[in-house]
C-alpha cells in the first residue's frame, strides 16, 4: 500500500472514536494524489485557492468523472482566504466554505448565492492565535454577530459552525488553550437556544501537527495535508 492510502486508512481509524471527519488537504498536490486518496476511501478534500480548485475539478471531470459526478462524489471544502471578487466562481462548487473570515465576505457569499439560486454552506473562521497575520473574525465579533442576530439577514447562506487555527508554536499548552477557546465560542452560540440555529454542528480545527490535541478539545473536522500527501512544493 502507498503512503497516501496507508495514512488515509490510519487517520480514518484514529478519527472514528471521536466521530470526526477528515478533510484531506490536497492543495499543491496533483489529481493523481487525490485519486489515490479517493481509492482509499477519502471523500472530503480541502483546497485553498480558487483557480487551483476549479482546475482540479475540470481535470478530474475529464480524466476521472466518477470521482466528481459518480454516486459517491468528492465533497470539496474551500479552506483558504477568499477574496470577494472570486466568490462568484465558487458558487455551486463546494460542499462547505470553511474560511469565511469577515462579515463583508459573508455578505458577498450571500449575494452571489442568491443570484446563482443556490444555498452555500459555510463556517465562520475565528482568530484566536497569536500571529498577527492570520485571518478571521475576533471572538467578540463572532459572538456579537449572533447576539445581535445579524445572521438573520442571510437569505442563501447556511452557517454550519466554526473554523479556527491554533498558534504556530511548539508550546502544546498554548495550542490546547487556543483550541479550547475556539470550542467554547462554538458552544456558547450552539447552546443559546434562543438563536434558533439549525445544523450548527461543525468545529473545524486541527492540522497535521496538532490534530490530536484538537480532537481532545472537541474538533469535529480536521484538515490534514502534509501527513497524507507529504511536503508541498510552493
Ligand atoms: C494548508 C492548510 C491545512 C493543512 O496543513 P498541514 O499542516 O499540511 O496539515 C489546514 N488548514 C488550512 C486552513 C490550510 O491552509
Amino acid at each position: 500500500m502507498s503512503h497516501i492510502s496507508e495514512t488515509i486508512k490510519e487517520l480514518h481509524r484514529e478519527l472514528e472514536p471521536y466521530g470526526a471527519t477528515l478533510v484531506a488537504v490536497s492543495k499543491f498536490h496533483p489529481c493523481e494524489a487525490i485519486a489515490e486518496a479517493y481509492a482509499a476511501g477519502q471523500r472530503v478534500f480541502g483546497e485553498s485557492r480558487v483557480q487551483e480548485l476549479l482546475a482540479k475539478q475540470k481535470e478530474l471531470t475529464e480524466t476521472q468523472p466518477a470521482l466528481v459526478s459518480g454516486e459517491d462524489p468528492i465533497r470539496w471544502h474551500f479552506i483558504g482566504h477568499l477574496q470577494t471578487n472570486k466568490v462568484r466562481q465558487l458558487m455551486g462548487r463546494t460542499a462547505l466554505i470553511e474560511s469565511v473570515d469577515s462579515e463583508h465576505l459573508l455578505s458577498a457569499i450571500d449575494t452571489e448565492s442568491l443570484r446563482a439560486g443556490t444555498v452555500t454552506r459555510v463556517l465562520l473562521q475565528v482568530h484566536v492565535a497569536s500571529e498577527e497575520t492570520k485571518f478571521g473574525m475576533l471572538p467578540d465579533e463572532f459572538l456579537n454577530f449572533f447576539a445581535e442576530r445579524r445572521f438573520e439577514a442571510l437569505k442563501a447562506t447556511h452557517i454550519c459552525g466554526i473554523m479556527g487555527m491554533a498558534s504556530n508554536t511548539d508550546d502544546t499548552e498554548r495550542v490546547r488553550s487556543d483550541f479550547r477557546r475556539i470550542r467554547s465560542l462554538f458552544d456558547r452560540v450552539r447552546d443559546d437556544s434562543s438563536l434558533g440555529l439549525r445544523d450548527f454542528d461543525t468545529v473545524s480545527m486541527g492540522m497535521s501537527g496538532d490534530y490530536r490535541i484538537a480532537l481532545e478539545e472537541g474538533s469535529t473536522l480536521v484538515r490534514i495535508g502534509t501527513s497524507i500527501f507529504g511536503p508541498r512544493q510552493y
Side-chain angles (χ1 to χ4, degrees):
M1 231 194 309
S2 79
H3 174 79
I4 292 177
S5 40
E6 216 167 292
T7 312
I8 292 285
K9 288 182 175 159
E10 239 169 67
L11 284 166
H12 285 180
R13 274 195 294 273
E14 199 176 346
L15 266 52
E16 220 245 343
Y18 294 95
T21 299
L22 173 64
V23 181
V25 177
S26 48
K27 64 187 184 195
F28 293 92
H29 293 283
C31 287
E32 289 74 24
I34 293 175
E36 218 177 307
Y38 183 95
Q42 181 60 26
R43 292 295 178 269
V44 184
F45 290 86
E47 289 285 340
S48 60
R49 298 184 306 174
V50 174
Q51 295 322 316
E52 187 175 345
L53 172 63
L54 299 182
K56 284 175 174 170
Q57 289 181 342
K58 182 168 184 287
E59 184 181 335
L60 287 169
T61 302
E62 288 160 4
T63 60
Q64 315 240 25
L67 272 61
V68 284
S69 50
E71 274 184 14
D72 192 7
I74 288 175
R75 300 191 293 280
W76 299 97
H77 286 197
F78 191 81
I79 61 169
H81 177 60
L82 179 57
Q83 289 166 287
T84 51
N85 63 3
K86 299 209 172 146
V87 167
R88 189 172 296 182
Q89 298 178 71
L90 272 191
M91 291 299 100
R93 297 192 164 270
T94 60
L96 189 65
I97 300 177
E98 296 198 21
S99 45
V100 176
D101 52 16
S102 71
E103 284 192 59
H104 177 64
L105 175 59
L106 184 61
S107 305
I109 290 172
D110 199 49
T111 303
E112 292 300 337
S113 302
L114 201 58
R115 186 200 300 262
T118 191
V119 172
T120 304
R121 299 171 71 251
V122 304
L123 304 179
L124 298 184
Q125 180 176 355
V126 293
H127 174 109
V128 300
S130 56
E131 291 90 58
E132 300 296 323
T133 54
K134 278 190 181 151
F135 294 104
M137 296 169 81
L138 294 172
D140 278 345
E141 205 181 339
F142 174 84
L143 291 172
N144 289 336
F145 173 78
F146 290 100
E148 293 166 10
R149 308 189 76 90
R150 295 208 288 278
F151 61 90
E152 289 179 337
L154 299 172
K155 296 185 173 72
T157 311
H158 191 84
I159 301 176
C160 304
I162 197 167
M163 186 270 249
M165 283 179 243
S167 304
N168 185 11
T169 169
D170 293 336
D171 177 357
T172 57
E173 282 318 302
R174 172 68 208 235
V175 169
R176 187 177 294 282
S177 80
D178 287 346
F179 285 144
R180 200 165 283 175
R181 186 98 192 276
I182 296 165
R183 175 73 207 204
S184 90
L185 288 166
F186 168 81
D187 286 340
R188 280 176 66 176
V189 170
R190 187 198 55 179
D191 296 344
D192 184 347
S193 56
S194 76
L195 296 175
L197 297 173
R198 285 172 301 109
D199 305 318
F200 188 81
D201 55 13
T202 303
V203 181
S204 176
M205 53 188 199
M207 316 186 358
S208 291
D210 57 19
Y211 74 91
R212 290 192 173 95
I213 302 174
L215 289 169
E216 287 167 11
E217 296 303 330
S219 172
T220 71
L221 198 62
V222 296
R223 311 176 307 273
I224 300 184
T226 308
S227 296
I228 300 168
F229 298 112
R232 291 178 282 273
Q233 310 279 321
Y234 292 102

